[in-house]
């Protein structure tokens, strides 16, 4: 399951070592161990790209910046994650190189309804992003056709701020002035060939 | 499984919902009668195990009733559901009729998700339970082996606990209740 293994025993690495891995070295850091990335496909990538366009168009005139997938975030002492999409309203908070230690304003994970994804994105990452201080956490499941937005509360917990399966989300919690046409997102997804 | 009201015909209402024959497990989702949940053996085991824990807790703490699966809850004229489990605390003034709850809310609702119900449990029903003010909502996922405990605060659900695998679930506000989650994921009933 890990690429940094010696004789089948995963080697423990630090956050700094993880942050310094070559760009093409995959994996997230979970309690000092390298865990392979989620298994993504075109459905996942099309949804990420669509959201980057929508969030990017919203963030740009507000001075914000949007990025995707391969950035390494130091979310806790021995935990490193690579969210599918992130937004900084103040780009000066994020370093141009290396491990990122400043929580983005928005993090998006595009998920599938598999036990592994549910555990990682709804239990583990939700807890990690809360401690890290990510203000808004979006969970998008294109197979279930759900978009959920969680907003960090003063007590450090996430509150369910929005949840939709269709229609237009006219007011997006935590992103003033943003509208998300959820029907248009699913229409984009439906242009792909159905599962064989 | 899209909630599409039958075209042309008027939307189904609470009156239609409570007249469904026994064994018809469809729920009233925005004016459409939809089979949200197709329970599996494991689903039923989890409901039973949680019901047992909650029943004996309620009995020891003067709470109750604890109702499983079939009891209907009215959300609005065109919205009605049958939660997998509901618990009422002492002093709850909800208006329960033999056919269903027509006013107020349970103090706790539990949904055990299935592949078909997942989107309803996490989005649609979550909105319904927010609307009627259910203070506590637990979402159990047998496939992922997770339990999320949501608590209503200022009109929105906060995720106050999220557990996986063999954790022991001892929710605040349920003094003395401790549910080893490992009991839920296996059909074996151990002493």
């Amino acid at each position: 399951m890990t690429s940094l293994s010696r004789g089948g025993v995963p080697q423990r690495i630090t956050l700094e070592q993880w942050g310094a891995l070559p760009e093409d070295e995959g994996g997230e850091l979970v309690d000092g161990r390298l865990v392979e990335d989620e298994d993504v496909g075109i459905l996942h990538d099309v949804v990420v790209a669509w959201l980057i366009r929508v969030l990017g168009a919203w963030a740009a005139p507000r001075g914000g910046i949007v990025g995707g997938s391969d950035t390494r975030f130091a979310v806790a002492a021995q935990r490193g994650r690579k969210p599918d999409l992130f937004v900084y309203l103040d780009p000066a908070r994020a370093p141009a190189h290396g491990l990122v230690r400043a929580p983005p304003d928005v993090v998006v994970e595009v998920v599938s309804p598999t036990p592994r994804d549910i555990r990682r994105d709804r239990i583990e990452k939700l807890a990690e992003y809360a401690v890290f201080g990510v203000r808004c956490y979006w969970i998008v499941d294109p197979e279930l056709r759900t978009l959920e937005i969680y907003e960090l509360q003063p007590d450090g917990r996430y509150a369910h701020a929005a949840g939709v399966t269709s229609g237009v989300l006219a007011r997006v919690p935590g992103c003033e002035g943003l509208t998300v046409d959820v029907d248009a997102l699913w229409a984009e997804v439906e242009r792909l060939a159905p599962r064989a | 499984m899209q909630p599409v009201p039958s075209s042309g015909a008027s939307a189904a209402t609470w009156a239609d919902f409570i007249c469904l024959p026994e064994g018809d497990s469809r729920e009233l989702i925005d004016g459409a009668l939809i089979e949200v949940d197709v329970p599996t053996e494991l689903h039923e085991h989890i409901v039973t195990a949680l019901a047992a824990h909650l029943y004996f807790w309620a009995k020891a703490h003067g709470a109750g009733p604890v109702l499983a699966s079939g009891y209907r809850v009215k959300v609005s004229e065109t919205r009605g559901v049958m939660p997998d489990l509901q618990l009422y605390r002492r002093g709850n003034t909800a208006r329960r009729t033999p056919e269903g709850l027509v006013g107020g809310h349970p103090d706790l609702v539990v949904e055990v998700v299935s592949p078909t119900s997942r989107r309803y449990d996490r989005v649609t029903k979550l909105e319904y339970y927010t609307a009627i003010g259910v203070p506590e909502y637990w979402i159990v996922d047998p496939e992922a082996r997770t339990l999320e405990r949501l608590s209503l605060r200022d009109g929105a659900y906060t995720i106050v606990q999220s557990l996986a695998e063999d954790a022991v679930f001892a929710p605040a506000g349920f003094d003395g209740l401790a549910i080893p989650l490992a009991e839920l994921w296996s059909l074996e009933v151990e002493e």
Side-chain angles (χ1 to χ4, degrees), chain A residues 30-75:
Chain A
V30 178
D31 297 336
R33 296 181 198 283
L34 201 56
V35 175
E36 79 182 13
D37 293 314
E38 65 182 326
D39 188 18
V40 300
I42 189 166
L43 176 65
H44 174 278
D45 289 353
V46 163
V47 172
V48 172
W50 191 92
L51 289 167
I52 286 177
R53 294 201 295 278
V54 168
L55 279 162
W58 169 78
R62 293 168 174 79
I65 208 164
V66 175
S69 295
D70 279 325
T71 304
R72 295 189 176 111
F73 289 86
V75 298

Side-chain angles (χ1 to χ4, degrees), chain B residues 12 15 53 76-77 83-85 99 104 131-132 135 140 147 149 154 167-168 180:
Chain B
H53 276 286
S76 72
E77 274 308 317
D84 284 324
L85 279 169
E99 295 78 31
I132 61 171
V140 182
L147 184 151
R149 175 175 166 240
D154 303 323
V168 175

Side-chain angles (χ1 to χ4, degrees), chain A residues 119 122 144 155 158-160, chain B residues 119 126 144 153 157 159 165:
Chain A
R119 294 273 285 275
R122 294 187 178 277
L144 292 187
D155 68 355
Y158 277 118
H160 188 278
Chain B
R119 64 198 298 266
L126 186 142
R153 295 177 184 176
Y157 279 116
I159 303 176
E165 285 290 349

